[in-house]
């Protein structure tokens, strides 16, 4: 999406429709992945089985964070996301076909099917994510440093969960980003749970946004899982970064509608009974319909277009070739690295 600099209350009808459409596309994609993931796991729910093997972390409920932040970015800006990456990947404009193919482990995927859903990587849109929590923060700094050295006003966004916000890599990144005045926006997606650990059991700090002042940057908390409030906070943080005013931290109180991973029974979440009424997408839909920004025809059109794109991507993934086991060791080392290693070995043998 194109970068905008909207302030609260100044979003156009088109901006608001786009925020809604981005969230709908993300949810539609994940609902399809959920369907395919569970289709053939067998009676004992074996995560090694089926068309989409391995773990699956879905972001349903957290769409306002990605839509609100990425509305300010172009694909020349970098995003490093988490092990729960789909909503950010989609909001940042990654190709749905290659994304689905990667998740299905097919050769047409972003990483030739070797990374899977936690390791979506696309140099064209400057997007990456990782199964290692807080791992994306240092590379975001590297991207921001490069952008600053090259000139221009591109920025990097580093997304972490509130659990990952306790990791050393995250804090070292905040420190260096402020010290070097780098164009970075740190986003904490606070869904209150790090697997089964509530925020109150992982940090003594009531609000992670307060930590920003310890590093010399502004920090803001966005309450209510509200896409327009995220958009407003991100607008200011992105403006600062582009203007050379340095990094900012945004903590968004959001909501994970599903388990930490698919198959998680969530016995640790007593509040779950209330969750359906918290779904941010129907809530925003009602707001926009009441404001006269969306009609029910618009809703059907947006959902229909999302479904069409998503089902095309799922079909593309299913029709794509599986990797050939003979290629297993390809693409692990760059050829030059192998050459260097060979000559180092030769030299060692000669010595
Ligand atoms: C460095 C590291 N330690 C532990 C894990 C195991 N792990 C995977 S997800 C997770 C919890 C992450 O919680 P949070 O950062 O709040 O993100 P959420 O899953 O809620 O989106 C942990 C501890 C990991 N992947 N990487």
């Amino acid at each position: 999406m194109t970068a905008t600099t909207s302030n609260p209350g100044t979003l156009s009808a088109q901006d608001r429709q786009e925020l809604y459409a981005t969230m709908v596309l993300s949810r539609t994609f994940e609902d399809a992945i959920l369907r395919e993931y569970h289709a053939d796991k067998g009676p004992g729910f074996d995560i090694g089985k089926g068309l989409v093997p391995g773990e699956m972390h879905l972001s349903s409920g957290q769409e306002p964070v990605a839509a609100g932040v990425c509305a300010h970015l172009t694909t020349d800006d970098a995003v490093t996301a988490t092990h729960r990456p789909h909503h950010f990947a989609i909001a940042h404009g990654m190709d749905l076909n290659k994304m689905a193919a990667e998740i299905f482990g097919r050769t047409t995927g972003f990483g030739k099917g070797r990374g899977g859903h936690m390791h979506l990587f696309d140099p064209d849109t400057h997007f990456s994510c990782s199964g290692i929590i807080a791992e994306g923060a240092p590379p975001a700094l590297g991207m921001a440093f490069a952008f600053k050295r090259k000139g221009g006003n591109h920025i990097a966004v580093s997304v972490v969960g509130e659990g990952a916000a306790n990791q050393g890599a995250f804090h070292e990144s905040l420190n260096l980003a402020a010290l070097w005045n780098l164009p970075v926006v740190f986003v904490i997606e606070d869904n209150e749970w790090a697997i089964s650990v509530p925020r109150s059991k992982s940090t003594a700090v009531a609000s992670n946004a307060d930590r920003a002042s310890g590093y010399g940057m502004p920090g803001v908390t966005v309450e209510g899982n509200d896409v327009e409030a995220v958009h407003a906070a991100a607008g200011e943080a992105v403006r600062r970064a582009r203007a050379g005013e340095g990094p900012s931290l945004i903590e968004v109180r959001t909501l994970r509608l599903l388990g930490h991973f698919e198959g998680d029974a969530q016995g640790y979440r007593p509040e779950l009974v209330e969750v359906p009424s918290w779904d941010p997408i129907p809530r925003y839909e009602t707001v926009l319909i009441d404001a006269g920004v969306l009609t029910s025809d618009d809703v059907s059109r947006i959902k229909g277009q999302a479904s069409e794109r998503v089902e095309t991507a799922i079909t593309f993934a299913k029709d794509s070739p599986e990797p050939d086991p003979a290629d297993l060791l390809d693409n692990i080392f760059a050829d030059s690295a192998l050459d260097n290693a060979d000559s180092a070995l030769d030299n060692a043998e000669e010595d």
Side-chain angles (χ1 to χ4, degrees):
M1 293 175 84
T2 49
T4 63
T5 51
S6 306
N7 291 315
T10 64
L11 281 168
S12 70
Q14 189 186 338
D15 291 336
R16 299 176 91 187
Q17 285 187 4
E18 280 181 14
L19 290 174
Y20 171 75
T22 302
M23 295 199 292
V24 167
L25 182 61
S26 179
R27 179 69 61 84
T28 308
F29 183 84
E30 287 211 325
D31 283 350
I33 294 294
L34 188 68
R35 180 190 75 211
E36 299 296 331
Y37 184 78
H38 284 275
D40 45 14
K41 290 280 176 280
F45 192 73
D46 181 345
I47 67 163
K49 282 197 177 146
L51 277 176
V52 186
E55 283 196 341
M56 179 55 63
H57 309 82
L58 296 174
S59 63
S60 286
Q62 302 186 191
E63 296 91 347
V65 192
V69 170
C70 292
H72 298 281
L73 308 180
T74 73
T75 49
D76 289 329
D77 299 310
V79 175
T80 64
T82 74
H83 56 287
R84 198 179 301 290
H86 302 158
H87 53 330
F88 267 94
I90 288 171
H92 194 51
M94 275 177 97
D95 182 272
L96 285 191
N97 287 10
K98 288 187 189 171
M99 194 172 149
E102 186 59 34
I103 294 170
F104 277 71
R106 304 304 170 103
T107 55
T108 51
F110 279 113
K112 301 182 193 290
R114 289 159 183 250
H117 102 97
M118 287 187 269
H119 300 103
L120 305 170
F121 175 77
D122 181 21
D124 289 342
T125 55
H126 298 88
F127 185 92
S128 65
C129 55
S130 171
I132 305 301
I133 65 170
E135 185 279 340
L141 241 62
M143 298 292 286
F145 183 63
F147 290 147
K148 188 172 173 170
R149 293 281 305 259
K150 283 182 179 167
N153 69 349
H154 301 318
I155 69 160
V157 172
S158 160
V159 189
V160 297
E162 89 293 339
N166 299 309
Q167 288 281 90
F170 180 67
H171 289 270
E172 290 172 35
S173 299
L174 289 176
N175 186 52
L176 200 59
L179 186 66
W180 288 358
N181 202 42
L182 295 178
V184 193
V185 176
F186 294 99
V187 177
I188 299 176
E189 287 192 282
D190 181 354
N191 62 18
E192 279 192 39
W193 295 97
I195 312 183
S196 56
V197 179
R199 183 182 60 247
S200 60
K201 292 272 191 279
S202 67
T203 173
V205 178
S207 163
N208 271 314
D210 292 347
R211 290 173 147 174
S213 63
Y215 296 103
M217 69 177 77
V220 62
T221 303
V222 179
E223 300 284 356
N225 205 18
D226 174 346
V227 67
E228 294 193 7
V230 175
H231 185 275
E236 170 56 13
V238 169
R239 184 205 61 73
R240 270 175 51 81
R242 291 201 198 285
E245 293 172 25
S248 311
L249 173 65
I250 303 171
E251 169 194 44
V252 185
R253 306 271 198 225
T254 186
L255 168 74
R256 155 157 77 69
L257 283 170
L258 299 171
H260 172 74
F261 57 90
E262 282 312 294
D264 174 7
Q266 301 193 80
Y268 54 86
R269 271 182 97 180
E271 87 280 16
L272 254 189
V273 276
E274 296 175 42
V275 160
S277 63
W278 300 344
D279 189 330
I281 298 183
R283 204 182 57 198
Y284 194 48
E285 188 178 297
T286 305
V287 167
L288 296 188
I289 287 174
D290 289 351
V293 168
L294 272 186
T295 63
S296 52
D297 281 353
D298 292 329
V299 169
S300 307
R301 176 181 45 80
I302 289 168
K303 289 187 174 170
Q305 285 170 348
S307 254
E308 209 176 305
R309 284 185 63 191
V310 166
E311 293 310 326
T312 301
I314 299 286
T315 304
F316 173 81
K318 285 180 171 172
D319 290 347
S320 293
E322 304 221 8
D324 181 346
D327 299 337
L328 185 66
L329 298 180
D330 288 356
N331 305 305
I332 293 178
F333 298 106
D335 289 343
S336 57
L338 283 177
D339 291 346
N340 290 343
D342 281 346
S343 57
L345 276 177
D346 290 346
N347 290 341
E349 276 164 17
E350 280 165 22
D351 291 348

